[in-house]
Amino acid sequence: MNCVRAGCCTVSLWCWMVGGGCERPHPEQHAAALSLDSPAAAQALFDSNCRGCHSQGAEGAALPLMNKNYWAIATDAVVVQAISHGQGRLMPAYIDSEGGPFTAQEIALFVKGMRSAWGAGAVGRGGGVSPLIVAGDPALGAQVFAESCASCHGSQGTAGSVTDQMYLRLVSDQGLWSSVIYGRCELGMPAWDDALPNRPSGLTVAEVAHVVSWISSQRVAAHDGSATP
Amino acid sequence: MKVLKASLGWIEERTGVVAFVAPLLFHHVPRNAKWWYVFGSATLMFFTIQLVTGVCLATVYAPSAAQAWESLNYIDNHVPMGWMLRALHGWSSNAMVVMMAIHMLQVFLHASYKYPRELNWITGVFLLLTTLALAFTGQVMRWDQDAYWGLGIGAAIADRIPLVGDEVRALLLGGPIIGGATLNRFFALHVFVLPGAAIALVGLHMVLIIKNGISEMPKPGAVVVPSMYRKEFEERMHKDGVPFVPDAAQRDMVFCGVCLIGLVALAAFYGPFGPGGMPDPTIIDTNPRPDYPFMWLFGAVSLLPPSSETAIMLIAPAVGVLILVALPFMSNSGERAPSKRPAMVLIALVTVMAIAALTWEGTTSSWSPVMNGWSSLPTPVKFVRGRTPLEMQGAVVFQFAQCRNCHSLDGLGGKRGPELDDVATRLSYDQLVRQVQQGGGNMPAYGKNLDSAQTAAVVAFLATLHPANEPDSRIPGAQLSVPTDNATAR
């Protein structure tokens, strides 16, 4: 009799576990997914996953994201695209279908959370520039570069070359675009609408497109088969 | 019933299967063989689960470097209950190792390895080795970053073998580096060679169990005297033993049932292991931690001064195996009761505690890489300011390639490698290129994993790491060989 009872218990325990366990568990993510779009949760997620490259002020080697200048121009779609599928050679893809840790839904919430953490008061300050790269004319861009960039980036400048082949092989055109429009004022790189040599009120939207397309046109295809972005 | 009996008889007459199986089921075992004796059966159960789930997994798994990761993802996300299958296989593998260890410990404490069961013990030792090899090759099957690292460590150990190191490494990896051929090799080992060996050894182990019987609970004073043992044992069994089925088998089944419930619970709650990390095995992950069964070894190595690592990594396991194999020859008669063998009990206790402590050390050791250093620790301002765009990209590569997990900047980051704040005062440009491409010490060689642009950028960045008032080593002549396409396109 005891055996029968023990058997019943075992079977029902089995059913419970197999039945209840049909969803594949994601223990680390359950907790986070609940309130990803809160500023605090977004900050925490950002601190452990992104801050190594994107930080704020002069800190960090890639574009700082913890500031409202970025969020004033960037749209959610651009940010979601970059996080999901990566960008250029050095920004990893974070969506699960490409081996990353997040689902599409989590990324959407995360972006919402980041915007509420750092984007407050940023609305409408973009000046009409697109966060996504726009095609321009390299010939006109050469002109803009000579006038407004070469004093820092030319052979006499101290900021270093932006037409170095190794550099150009690592950054995407979208990355170049973002470098020019957001700048890094703490490091001495002006934003697109800051005062520039020969252009006290900054570049026009069209000039940004021209100069980026010129820099990009300086890129020579790699010989060793390493992908150009 | 009659038909059944007749057909059984027909088969029996031609195969002798009943005559073969009956003694397996009804052989007499000691009456006092109680709950102490269930661990071996549980190990066997886990092994069976491994075989069954393994065969199922093999139907979907694609053992090619390009598809392995994807096929695991497919099993996890698209095959109904596929994740459960993987979880069961993964957890049951760990459970099997643990259960086997407990079983061995029990045999050791009860000195069941003494006459006439020396070979039971020795086949057991080889089963342990085979199981560990299965666990190791299984970790490689995930073909994710952990797998890549496990292999890297394995290859590094092979490399240390004097004289034939290169050859052994090539044999293991199917070439000088980890690549598609490596996975194929480990797949062959994991699904054909090792399971074959394990099945054969299990069979042998079983035959020996039937032949020699199950040892009785040790009693102080009941000494083993080889010349008389077998006869007396058989008499005692005949008089006082109980048939394996149903008496002992019943306890085995209850225990196996409990284990099975525990296994399913673990699998359902924690899910499968990996596949972690990005699918690209050319991205070097910096967490060189093996799966649990090897953690203690890893912890031991972490405590050693680097100078003795080679000796210990190569010699200690060999000595350990030798001792295990030699054990029954060192003492195959005399007392079996733990109370009469205090030294042995002490050895067992110390071993268990040492393995537990080392596992803990391996899991937590402070020198080990800071797992999310690359994605959480920003490049400090002083190493960003005044850098050219290329050097800035180099700083990103430094994060991207997870150098930060092992190397700190301004005190933040891993401590596995030296701090690099002023590395440019120590190494010239050429030496930096060399270090990045060829690694050395415990640093992985990034050669093929960074292309020429990434290498150029990261080295350009490293070359800026020196105190403002000290000259860097970009002094005349040092920067002759900027990595070019040709230099790295090999």
Side-chain angles (χ1 to χ4, degrees), chain A residues 33-50:
Chain A
L34 296 177
S35 57
L36 259 187
D37 55 344
S38 79
Q43 178 78 59
L45 209 58
F46 190 85
D47 281 348
S48 60
N49 288 293
C50 321

Side-chain angles (χ1 to χ4, degrees), chain A residues 49-93:
Chain A
N49 288 293
C50 321
R51 193 148 180 196
C53 297
H54 305 282
S55 185
Q56 60 186 343
E59 196 178 61
L63 192 66
L65 298 185
M66 295 168 61
N67 63 66
K68 63 177 162 204
N69 288 345
Y70 180 75
W71 294 95
I73 298 175
T75 57
D76 285 2
V78 171
V79 181
V80 166
Q81 164 74 22
I83 300 177
S84 302
H85 308 295
Q87 187 175 308
R89 302 285 314 286
L90 300 176
M91 163 80 193

